[in-house]
Amino acid sequence: MTAAKKKNTSNLLNDYHLLSFDSLDSTNEEAKRLARSGGGHGAVIWAKKQSEGKGRLGRSWLSSEGNLFVSVLLQPDKEMADLAQLSFVAAIAVIDAIAPMLPDKNSLKTKWPNDILLANRKLGGILLESFRTETSDKPWVVVGVGINVDNYPPRTEFPATCLKEAGVELVSAKIILSRFIHHFIERYNQWNNKSFAPIRKDWLNHAWNLNKKITARLPDSEMEGVFEGINTSGSLTLKLASGKKQIIHAADVYAPS
Ligand code: BTN
């Protein structure tokens, strides 16, 4: 355990149990350590702050107290290739948890691949990490979720916001955690028992700039086109000016300038 002070363990619904920490390096890292040391499906790791919070594409995630940092460790009976869908499961659970608290529910959007926007600013993000351990045939996945409840980093490339700034004052990270976990369990069961289709549909219903022009910034190029949807692997379909459909697996997307 790195720089971690274990605080509490409590049972949640069904297979799920909550491990609370005052501080961790990263809740995703703690979840991976847990999987490698005999921990099981359904561990929910929550820290009040992180010293080495991780974002997508090797970025860091500023993690000061007041915001939500949580990771769920899972070992679904699915193929490794299907696990990417869990990022959309988590995004929809965030929407379910937060939209009812907002005066304008439509201001909350899912943004490909794994962001949550509020009034066109980044409210949260999801970091999915899948891996195998020597002791098990089934792959593991950690679904890490960060939500800006009380504060947000200034001067980010994509502007950020937090719930407090949006006028949701009487709320804490703990309240958002319990709402998120409740909806995540529901949405996870929906995905696990049925298929990706209902999750994909709900995600697209909330999607930022669907059927509009977007710019996809890849490591060494940029592409502009109409954002037509996502496939079952969670990749984005872009219709280029030439009419050609381009599948994009990893990129940052923006409204064209
Ligand atoms: C992103 O938008 O780049 C994804 C950010 C994910 C941040 C969360 S906070 C909880 C979990 N632990 C981490 O170190 N990262 C994720």
Side-chain angles (χ1 to χ4, degrees):
M1 206 181 291
T2 313
K5 190 172 154 222
K6 190 151 162 188
K7 200 186 155 210
N8 215 328
T9 304
S10 51
N11 286 324
L12 300 167
L13 267 179
N14 307 329
D15 300 338
Y16 294 84
H17 55 282
L18 178 68
L19 301 167
S20 315
F21 296 83
D22 286 335
S23 176
L24 279 175
D25 51 353
S26 151
T27 55
N28 270 34
E29 288 305 313
E30 182 65 17
K32 288 193 272 179
R33 286 191 288 265
L34 199 64
R36 293 191 179 108
S37 60
H41 173 92
V44 176
I45 294 117
W46 172 44
K48 287 190 183 156
K49 58 185 182 188
Q50 301 183 118
S51 54
E52 289 166 56
K54 302 191 308 173
R56 211 168 55 90
L57 304 174
R59 296 175 186 136
S60 58
W61 184 259
L62 217 73
S63 304
S64 51
E65 208 156 335
N67 291 340
L68 175 63
F69 315 108
V70 62
S71 300
V72 188
L73 175 64
L74 299 162
Q75 201 177 32
D77 270 318
K78 302 263 185 182
E79 299 298 320
M80 187 71 130
D82 294 330
L83 299 185
Q85 297 168 356
L86 283 169
S87 162
F88 302 90
V89 172
I92 281 301
V94 172
I95 301 280
D96 292 344
I98 294 178
M101 308 176 96
L102 298 171
D104 176 11
K105 293 167 189 31
N106 291 328
S107 57
L108 200 61
K109 299 277 178 203
T110 51
K111 177 171 174 280
W112 189 87
N114 51 9
D115 289 348
I116 305 294
L117 300 189
L118 177 56
N120 277 317
R121 291 166 163 259
K122 183 155 168 165
L123 181 74
I126 294 153
L127 178 65
L128 207 79
E129 296 186 79
S130 43
F131 57 98
R132 292 185 183 276
T133 51
E134 280 175 4
T135 48
S136 174
D137 291 339
K138 283 199 292 180
W140 292 92
V141 60
V142 176
V143 182
V145 178
I147 306 286
N148 300 333
V149 178
D150 170 74
N151 58 76
Y152 59 91
R155 294 179 296 280
T156 41
E157 197 182 351
F158 195 96
T161 189
C162 66
L163 287 173
K164 191 169 157 189
E165 186 169 83
V168 186
E169 296 268 358
L170 294 172
V171 74
S172 61
K174 195 172 181 179
I175 292 174
I176 301 298
L177 169 73
S178 95
R179 294 177 66 91
F180 167 71
I181 291 302
H182 169 83
H183 290 287
F184 182 80
I185 294 172
E186 261 179 20
R187 291 297 193 163
Y188 177 83
N189 290 341
Q190 181 186 34
W191 171 77
N192 201 34
N193 301 334
K194 293 189 183 157
S195 68
F196 183 45
I199 298 290
R200 179 175 174 273
K201 183 167 167 268
D202 285 352
W203 190 93
L204 287 170
N205 276 338
H206 291 90
W208 170 86
N209 274 16
L210 183 67
N211 297 321
K212 292 192 182 150
K213 261 195 186 167
I214 58 167
T215 302
R217 205 166 289 163
L218 289 89
D220 46 14
S221 63
E222 258 190 28
M223 281 183 204
E224 200 173 290
V226 174
F227 169 27
E228 289 206 317
I230 52 170
N231 67 16
T232 53
S233 322
S235 299
L236 176 146
T237 315
L238 200 62
K239 188 174 177 195
L240 306 179
S242 63
K244 186 184 162 223
K245 306 225 178 190
Q246 180 76 42
I247 303 292
I248 302 202
H249 304 290
D252 285 316
V253 300
Y254 298 88
S257 41

